[in-house]
Amino acid sequence: MKKIAILGSTGSIGTQTLEIVRSNPDLQVVALAAGENVSRMEEQIREFHPMMACMWSESAAADLRCRIADLNVRVASGMEGLLETAVFPQSQVLVTAIVGMIGIRPTIAAIEAGKDIALANKETLVTAGHIIMPLAKQYHAAILPVDSEHSAIFQALNGEAGEIEKILLTASGGPFRGRTRQELERIRPEDALKHPNWTMGRKITIDSSTLVNKGLEVMEAKWLFGVGLEQIQVLVHPQSILHSAVQFADGSVIGQLGVPDMKLPIQYALFHPHRRPMGGRRVDLFELGQLTFEKPDVDTFQGLELAYEAGRRGGSMPTVYNAANEKAVALFLEHKLSYMGIAELIGEAMAHHRVTDNPTVEEILETERLTYEFITGRIGV
């Protein structure tokens, strides 16, 4: 029986993780944490019987306590509750499906407590990779990527990390591939929330359409696989069948193919190094006929090039990139910022920032706060 805790259990990755649990009776959920969705958390508790649960706000936690008063489940709240969930003694694996830099401290605590990490929170490595990866090595904690692209790279490497020549990181191109800057000026939130291949949360769907998500994945891959940014090449692959590949020193290219289904990399992370049977569709290469690849349009989708710039500068700059994007996407979804304004605002925030090299967790979080403050002043909201 493998026992798991989940941060972000009511979100897209969290609920898909619980679908995997339903199909695998040798997985047991011992702790759950979520934001404000009390109704869904109650449902999850009654189905999966964890020993503890955490809600972000105390008001949501109080509501949950009333709803499950008939059950013997401890309910915590806030950062203290997240940390308690992360280090819960009975768990072996922590699934970090929580969104944002709020995941940094719980991930560090889980590593120090000897947990393996099924990592779906890309902000943790983007902003604090220089802290997380050495710590994981020190405590012999496995960092198992849940993102489909990083999982594909992880599978393709198969112990050959020292022989990497190039990582080929694929991107679907999103719903606006081939559009001009002029056409994108008119994009509304409801247009950007229609991803052609993947079903994801609202923010990551917007990030995928702007290629900012791919920029975050570039910086994450740098830390996960110990490569330079110049070794990471982004390929637009509209079919989303090749999830990523690795080119080795001898010229060989090994990749992982599959239908676009996040449950596959989640299950692989939970059971690594073993593979389990899984239902659902299979890739039919005869039906596909062809797989196509093209260069990303970085002139139109400037968020990707800004990510390389942030990654090359390092230090606290990736935090600015991430925080500025979070705020910009929120403004766009509220119809307070244009679609093209997302990348423009990220660039302005980066230009304004004075970099701190090798920042501490406290300095990372302070950089996030200052970036939010800059954007609030810049936009006036």
Side-chain angles (χ1 to χ4, degrees):
M1 183 69 70
K2 182 172 281 191
K3 299 179 179 182
I4 67 172
I6 305 173
L7 302 182
S9 67
T10 62
S12 177
I13 297 296
T15 54
Q16 290 180 84
T17 300
L18 291 172
E19 288 183 42
I20 299 296
V21 174
R22 284 192 192 98
S23 303
N24 291 275
D26 52 350
L27 287 176
Q28 180 184 355
V29 176
V30 296
L32 295 172
E36 303 291 333
N37 195 334
V38 178
S39 297
R40 182 168 285 182
M41 176 61 91
E42 180 189 0
E43 293 171 2
Q44 292 177 348
I45 290 170
R46 293 190 180 280
E47 179 178 359
F48 295 99
H49 311 291
M51 300 176 210
M52 80 158 287
C54 171
M55 304 302 296
W56 180 242
S57 72
E58 177 52 33
S59 60
D63 185 8
L64 182 63
R65 290 187 194 102
C66 291
R67 292 176 183 232
I68 61 167
D70 58 314
L71 302 175
N72 184 25
V73 178
R74 167 170 165 69
V75 178
S77 65
M79 180 54 71
E80 282 191 16
L82 288 181
L83 292 171
E84 185 179 344
T85 305
V87 302
F88 197 72
Q90 285 81 1
S91 72
Q92 299 160 281
V93 179
L94 177 69
V95 180
T96 60
I98 200 167
V99 175
M101 284 183 268
I102 194 175
I104 297 174
R105 282 191 168 127
T107 302
I108 290 173
I111 291 170
E112 292 177 338
K115 315 295 184 184
D116 289 335
I117 309 297
L119 185 68
N121 172 262
K122 56 176 57 67
E123 294 89 349
T124 295
L125 286 189
V126 168
T127 65
H130 62 290
I131 298 171
I132 298 294
M133 295 311 290
L135 201 64
K137 184 176 181 180
Q138 177 185 344
Y139 285 91
H140 306 287
I143 305 292
L144 304 162
V146 167
D147 266 355
S148 62
E149 294 84 356
H150 297 115
S151 177
I153 296 162
F154 185 78
Q155 293 176 60
L157 286 173
N158 195 26
E160 299 183 77
E163 308 299 329
I164 296 174
E165 185 172 281
K166 185 189 298 184
I167 284 175
L168 305 172
L169 192 68
T170 57
S172 71
F176 308 131
R177 180 175 63 91
R179 302 277 188 98
T180 65
R181 292 181 62 86
Q182 290 72 26
E183 290 172 324
L184 294 178
E185 288 287 355
R186 299 188 293 272
I187 293 299
R188 302 165 300 171
E190 49 269 35
D191 302 319
L193 288 170
K194 298 173 184 175
H195 196 283
N197 299 330
W198 294 93
T199 301
M200 305 175 289
R202 284 164 61 85
K203 177 184 176 293
I204 193 172
T205 302
I206 302 298
D207 289 349
S208 294
S209 75
T210 61
L211 294 192
V212 165
N213 186 58
K214 203 53 49 180
L216 293 169
E217 289 177 2
V218 166
M219 289 188 276
E220 188 180 8
K222 167 193 168 184
W223 291 110
L224 272 173
F225 307 113
V227 297
L229 291 173
E230 71 282 356
Q231 291 175 276
I232 305 171
Q233 180 179 354
V234 174
L235 303 176
V236 173
H237 169 49
Q239 296 84 13
S240 295
I241 296 298
L242 176 66
H243 295 301
S244 278
V246 178
Q247 181 172 305
F248 293 93
D250 62 358
S252 297
V253 176
I254 298 176
Q256 184 258 331
L257 288 77
V259 296
D261 184 347
M262 279 304 302
K263 291 192 291 295
L264 196 156
I266 293 169
Q267 180 169 288
Y268 186 77
L270 291 177
F271 287 107
H272 177 265
H274 307 291
R275 292 187 185 272
R276 288 293 184 88
M278 186 171 163
R281 294 187 299 119
R282 298 293 193 262
V283 171
D284 186 333
L285 295 178
F286 292 112
E287 181 182 324
L288 280 170
Q290 63 178 350
L291 302 177
T292 62
F293 304 92
E294 57 196 61
K295 291 182 179 179
D297 179 0
V298 294
D299 292 328
T300 301
F301 299 94
Q302 296 180 338
L304 180 57
E305 192 58 38
L306 285 169
Y308 275 95
E309 181 182 328
R312 283 190 291 265
R313 183 57 190 87
S316 56
M317 190 63 86
T319 298
V320 175
Y321 178 91
N322 179 75
N325 177 66
E326 284 189 359
K327 192 69 171 177
V329 169
L331 290 168
F332 171 67
L333 288 170
E334 294 168 4
H335 299 271
K336 296 176 181 177
L337 184 70
S338 71
Y339 182 78
M340 297 303 289
I342 295 173
E344 291 170 5
L345 202 52
I346 295 170
E348 288 182 29
M350 288 172 58
H352 178 263
H353 180 62
R354 294 182 63 181
V355 173
T356 299
D357 293 321
N358 199 33
T360 63
V361 173
E362 290 72 23
E363 288 171 328
I364 289 168
L365 297 176
E366 176 65 5
T367 297
E368 178 188 44
R369 186 190 70 80
L370 290 172
T371 303
Y372 287 166
E373 190 176 274
F374 167 78
I375 290 175
T376 298
R378 172 69 180 79
I379 301 298
V381 292

